[in-house]
Amino acid sequence: MKWTNAFIPTLREAPADAEILSHKLLLRAGLIRKLAGGVYTFLPLGLRALRKVEQIVREEMDRAGALELLMPALQPPEIWQQSGRYETAGNVLFKLKDSGNREWILSPTAEEVITTTAAAEINSYRQLPKNFYQISVKFRDEIRPRFGLMRAREFIMKDAYSFDVSDEAAQACYQKMYDAYGRIFARCGLKAFPVEADTGVIGGKFSHEFMVPAETGENEVVYCEACGYAANIEKATSAVSQRASGILPEEQTGTAGGTPAARSIEKFATPGVVTIEALSKAPYNVPANRQIKTLVYMADSKPVIILIRGDDQLNEAKLAGIIGTTVFRPATPEECVATLGAHPGSLGAVASTLERRPPARLEGEPLQRAVPEAGAPRIFADERLHGANGMTTGANEDGFHFRNVSIERDIKVTQWFDLRTVTAGEPCAKCNKPLKIRRAIEVGHVFKLGTKYSEKLGATFLDEAGTRKPAVMGCYGIGVTRTLQAVIEQCNDKDGIIWPLSVAPYQVCITPLGVAPDGAVMKLAEKIYAELTARGVEVILDDRDERPGVKFKDSELVGFPIRIGIGEKSLAKGEVELKPRGGALQPVKADVAVEAVVKLLEEGQASLR
Ligand code: ATP
Ligand code: MG
């Protein structure tokens, strides 16, 4: 391709709304343009790179035995109602109406479609296993689209769905996909690593995400250098989050004198104190780790009370997994009053205070007491509070707290869960060494779904004995457009992108420093261009009549892996200048330049395999 025939609108400066480096580089290198927030056009060079990522994904999916198909982007809402996700995933669904006022959903993912298809087409164990995949546009009504292709409203995803006859068979398929993902990201030149992940609203039992370490990543990964444990912070646990080891021995005992559990609960006035911090200061001096933080959430219009230690943070992703929907929110102060009879800051779950029902009353009216048991809100407590004695918590009366609270004695916990967020330095649950936390970009996700969707949507088969069973499913996603941007986020320097050979829009850029058609420089450039092209190398020839500085800057910015500089000076010595992007300039004899480039390309490609 001749540069003058191509379309490479490079920019000196990135538009102001591009926040992270890879987003800026995508725009500056003329790879994408924004149409609207979270909606982008791929310009020709961007599309070339994207197609390469897609092709790598396709080759590895095919190699792992998955079958490519293409499902519609328009989905009927009925199948979402059938799976139960019409409500639970409702906030990301783009919905639209046709002229007959019928609703449609723009595909954010395709579990419902593929399972419906499998239900109609698969009937016997003889047709299994099957693993179907597609590479297609997905739509999600993200609350906060940002960072270019990283979190877009419209993006390209590879999604695969497997159907197996048993758990063991499904596990084997999961492993195959897991291995394929490792190869895909390595071939894209990405350093990505798998971490244990939350299964979220998509459901299922078990999952891994593939993460690319990056400061700008939206995910936090908890990891242990000693034993290799790695998990998304939404899922991560540590030795202190686990029952039994949750409360350290010195924390079991309260303040001096007597066994705290034996001391009876005592109400004390805390006027104006509404934070953990304020209570930890004089005159109260209750350390945060001796406080029980009481949070109220509304899920499905019903309150859920969450108890965690005062120095811990609730992990909303863990809560979502427990409740089974992301459609929940912190209660408003009014809802807290309606649930517990007090405002945030004085909330608690001590059993005796829950027998009193909230003042749904007018000024001056007597307080209504006595709540029927059935209407009592659920109380979920964090495992770390197991056996906690001598604790302080709100008294459900504005301006009052209780001390000497024993969680087992004084609070009727409905269920115990790991609800807290792990912090850096906590001991690893597997090996007790300190955990670390770093930021990362999630580029892929593999899930074991089990029979959740096959049961709801009727994807069953007859086994060898003639018994009808639901297929055991898995699903496997890769954010193809996000992966492309992750490559740029990981592979760059101050001058621009440093494309790995495998995904570069062109592998070689020939830069003649003088474009007179009859000049020796341009003649040689054309010759090398023709020879490399004939050898199957993807070459761009910068035939623009521009200053050398402009040409060099652009080729560095766009990030072609190898540049061949041809100028009169070096040509006088019979040489051209090879420059691997990000490497040192290498003068080579003009007559062996093509061989030298081909060799560099072969070595580079071999290192990506
Ligand atoms: P996230 O937590 O980042 O929202 P997710 O868990 O919703 O991701 P999945 O439903 O597992 O994502 O989708 C599979 C892959 O699609 C993700 O691993 C990610 O690479 C990509 N992806 C998801 N949402 C977006 C988006 N809004 N823009 C670009 N890529 C996305
Ligand atoms: Mg999401």
Side-chain angles (χ1 to χ4, degrees), residues 140 142 149-152 155 157 442-445 447 479 482:
R140 290 190 187 182
E142 298 284 357
L149 309 174
M150 289 290 186
R151 183 164 300 284
F155 58 97
M157 194 210 284
E442 177 202 325
V443 285
H445 202 163
F447 285 95
R482 188 186 283 183

Side-chain angles (χ1 to χ4, degrees), residues 283-569:
Y284 310 104
N285 299 322
V286 184
N289 65 11
R290 308 219 55 85
Q291 300 184 39
I292 300 174
K293 181 153 59 182
T294 307
L295 305 168
V296 183
Y297 274 76
M298 302 302 291
D300 216 1
S301 334
K302 286 193 211 85
V304 182
I305 296 173
I306 311 292
L307 307 180
I308 57 170
R309 226 170 72 166
D311 55 341
D312 280 336
Q313 295 302 322
L314 171 68
N315 191 318
E316 287 199 353
K318 290 182 181 175
L319 183 60
I322 292 162
I323 302 179
T325 166
T326 53
V327 190
F328 64 85
R329 57 173 175 81
T332 61
E334 295 71 39
E335 286 165 337
C336 289
V337 172
T339 309
L340 293 172
H343 286 91
S346 304
L347 302 177
V350 167
S352 60
T353 67
L354 295 182
E355 281 148 25
R356 186 189 58 176
R357 230 315 131 94
R361 60 178 180 130
L362 297 169
E363 203 67 18
E365 239 180 280
L367 210 63
Q368 295 168 13
R369 288 184 179 257
V371 185
E373 227 355 72
R378 290 169 292 172
I379 302 175
F380 294 163
D382 181 55
E383 298 280 13
R384 198 184 200 187
L385 286 171
H386 252 289
N389 293 318
M391 303 297 283
T392 294
T393 191
N396 283 338
E397 195 178 332
D398 287 351
F400 289 90
H401 278 81
F402 284 122
R403 59 167 72 98
N404 303 337
V405 175
S406 159
I407 195 155
E408 320 274 355
R409 182 193 63 191
D410 302 318
I411 297 179
K412 283 197 194 123
V413 172
T414 316
Q415 237 176 318
W416 296 88
F417 294 104
D418 174 3
L419 288 165
R420 63 185 289 278
T421 303
V422 167
T423 56
E426 285 175 21
C428 173
K430 290 195 173 153
C431 75
N432 260 327
K433 295 275 167 20
L435 292 168
K436 291 189 169 178
I437 298 184
R438 72 170 151 196
R439 303 199 70 85
I441 300 163
E442 177 202 325
V443 285
H445 202 163
V446 290
F447 285 95
K448 263 166 86 174
L449 289 174
T451 56
K452 177 177 160 168
Y453 292 91
S454 47
E455 278 174 26
K456 289 202 167 130
L457 294 154
T460 59
F461 65 96
L462 292 173
D463 72 4
E464 248 169 304
T467 314
R468 189 160 287 283
K469 285 184 176 163
V472 184
M473 291 177 61
C475 76
Y476 319 92
I478 288 182
V480 176
T481 40
R482 188 186 283 183
T483 298
L484 179 71
Q485 187 169 342
V487 170
I488 299 175
E489 189 68 24
Q490 202 171 63
C491 309
N492 65 71
D493 66 9
K494 63 175 187 7
D495 298 318
I497 302 169
I498 306 179
W499 285 113
L501 271 177
S502 53
V503 292
Y506 291 92
Q507 298 162 331
V508 175
C509 177
I510 303 174
T511 312
L513 307 178
V515 292
D518 296 333
V521 167
M522 196 58 185
K523 277 196 175 146
L524 179 62
E526 292 274 12
K527 183 169 175 272
I528 295 176
Y529 174 67
E531 282 178 26
L532 283 173
T533 305
R535 301 207 31 185
V537 179
E538 296 166 317
V539 196
I540 190 146
L541 170 56
D542 192 350
D543 57 343
R544 293 177 299 167
D545 189 8
E546 284 283 1
R547 282 178 291 117
V550 170
K551 291 188 168 192
F552 286 146
K553 270 216 170 77
D554 273 351
S555 87
E556 305 264 291
L557 173 60
V558 181
F560 303 110
I562 297 175
R563 189 177 72 212
I564 309 172
I566 309 174
E568 273 170 21
K569 250 196 217 153

Side-chain angles (χ1 to χ4, degrees), residues 142-192:
E142 298 284 357
I143 307 167
R144 219 179 141 202
R146 58 177 186 160
F147 299 163
L149 309 174
M150 289 290 186
R151 183 164 300 284
R153 290 192 161 95
E154 180 181 326
F155 58 97
I156 295 176
M157 194 210 284
K158 184 284 299 180
D159 41 330
Y161 308 90
S162 62
F163 297 84
D164 277 285
V165 295
S166 65
D167 269 341
E168 301 77 71
Q171 176 62 36
C173 181
Y174 183 93
Q175 189 61 43
K176 255 194 208 167
M177 287 293 108
Y178 181 99
D179 296 341
Y181 275 36
R183 285 195 300 272
I184 287 168
F185 297 121
R187 284 184 61 189
C188 289
L190 263 181
K191 287 184 194 74

Side-chain angles (χ1 to χ4, degrees), residues 136-251:
S136 69
V137 176
K138 303 294 188 296
F139 302 87
R140 290 190 187 182
D141 190 0
E142 298 284 357
I143 307 167
R144 219 179 141 202
R146 58 177 186 160
F147 299 163
L149 309 174
M150 289 290 186
R151 183 164 300 284
R153 290 192 161 95
E154 180 181 326
F155 58 97
I156 295 176
M157 194 210 284
K158 184 284 299 180
D159 41 330
Y161 308 90
S162 62
F163 297 84
D164 277 285
V165 295
S166 65
D167 269 341
E168 301 77 71
Q171 176 62 36
C173 181
Y174 183 93
Q175 189 61 43
K176 255 194 208 167
M177 287 293 108
Y178 181 99
D179 296 341
Y181 275 36
R183 285 195 300 272
I184 287 168
F185 297 121
R187 284 184 61 189
C188 289
L190 263 181
K191 287 184 194 74
F193 62 97
V195 308
E196 290 176 23
D198 178 44
T199 51
V201 170
I202 204 160
K205 300 171 183 164
F206 191 68
S207 85
H208 284 92
E209 286 163 344
F210 284 74
M211 293 286 189
V212 173
E215 273 314 305
T216 55
E218 291 187 287
N219 291 87
E220 282 184 287
V221 172
V222 175
Y223 65 103
C224 174
E225 276 171 338
C227 74
Y229 170 77
N232 189 312
I233 197 155
E234 294 180 342
K235 154 99 181 181
T237 189
S238 76
V240 302
S241 288
Q242 316 227 315
R243 190 185 283 230
S245 55
I247 300 279
L248 304 171
E250 68 273 17
E251 294 170 352

